[in-house]
Amino acid sequence: MLMLADPGVLNGYLDSEHDTWSALVERHHLDVATHACSTYMDGLSRLLPCATAPVPLEALNSTLARLTSWRLVSSAGMVDDTFLFRATAEHQFPVASKVRSPEELAFAALPDMFHDVYGHVPYLLTPRGALAHRMFGEVARAGGYAPTLVQQLSTLFWFTFEVGLVREAGMVKVLGAAILTSAEERRNVGRGDGDIMPFDLDAVLETPFQPRSLQPRYFLLSKFSEIFVALKRLAPRRPR
Ligand SMILES: [Fe+2]
């Protein structure tokens, strides 16, 4: 879809925002090939032809409809956890419409469209990534969106799909969107500036986190499927 409006605006985004997006995508290609986990790379290969430039969500949804039943819904950036899980239970994922500023190429404190589209959407284009996201929502819904359960799911989501690491073929690979879309967060991991702990649900749930800064602690999954095991542990027991 091509919508020409004012000079310097294409598809609703300024030339400068297209430039920022191009710079982010170029850097991303170089970095993720060596760092990202296989599930992410699988989804990214499907996303790439659809996300070469920032476009309105409806246009992106039209393109993605060929690949997935998921729909992207508009968000202002940081979303409420209950809103997130209500969305994922319905095969929807919130995506920010704003593109970060040129000064935030290496690290943006708040989620922007690049973070959401390049960090999260690839998982929605793979069977097990989509299933995991849906399960977050279904577990929350099964528990009536009780605040304690939502907080536990939010913490698990943070330490997996935002700043999670996973071991693959003996190597530490990046799972989390906040690391995948931030060169500075990747350097933080690579330099060993944050502790890397073996994934353990009890330890995860006891670990506080600060979404707007580089992380002091990461958790390393032994395999992707540990997320499903953790989600099943958090799922409310059905009455007999
Ligand atoms: Fe995110």
Side-chain angles (χ1 to χ4, degrees), residues 136-153:
F136 272 94
E138 289 178 345
V139 170
R141 184 168 60 190
Y145 301 100
T148 302
L149 176 60
V150 168
Q151 179 60 44
Q152 290 175 324
L153 290 167

Side-chain angles (χ1 to χ4, degrees), residues 93 111 115-116 120 157-158 161-162 177-178:
F93 195 85
H115 167 85
D116 288 332
H120 290 292
F157 191 89
W158 178 260
F161 284 113
E162 288 294 359

Side-chain angles (χ1 to χ4, degrees), residues 194-216:
D195 298 334
I196 298 179
M197 312 284 290
F199 181 86
D200 172 82
L201 180 60
D202 294 321
V204 165
L205 296 181
E206 289 171 2
T207 304
F209 60 91
Q210 169 49 260
R212 299 191 185 207
S213 56
L214 297 175
Q215 299 302 299

Side-chain angles (χ1 to χ4, degrees), residues 128 132 135-136 156 160-161 165-167 175 197-201 204 219-233:
R128 65 179 180 173
M135 279 182 68
F136 272 94
L156 177 61
T160 53
F161 284 113
L165 304 170
V166 61
R167 192 174 293 283
L175 174 78
M197 312 284 290
F199 181 86
D200 172 82
L201 180 60
V204 165
F219 286 95
L220 175 61
L221 295 151
S222 62
K223 51 191 171 187
F224 187 96
S225 59
E226 273 195 287
I227 300 172
F228 296 118
V229 176
L231 284 165
K232 284 176 184 165
R233 263 194 63 194

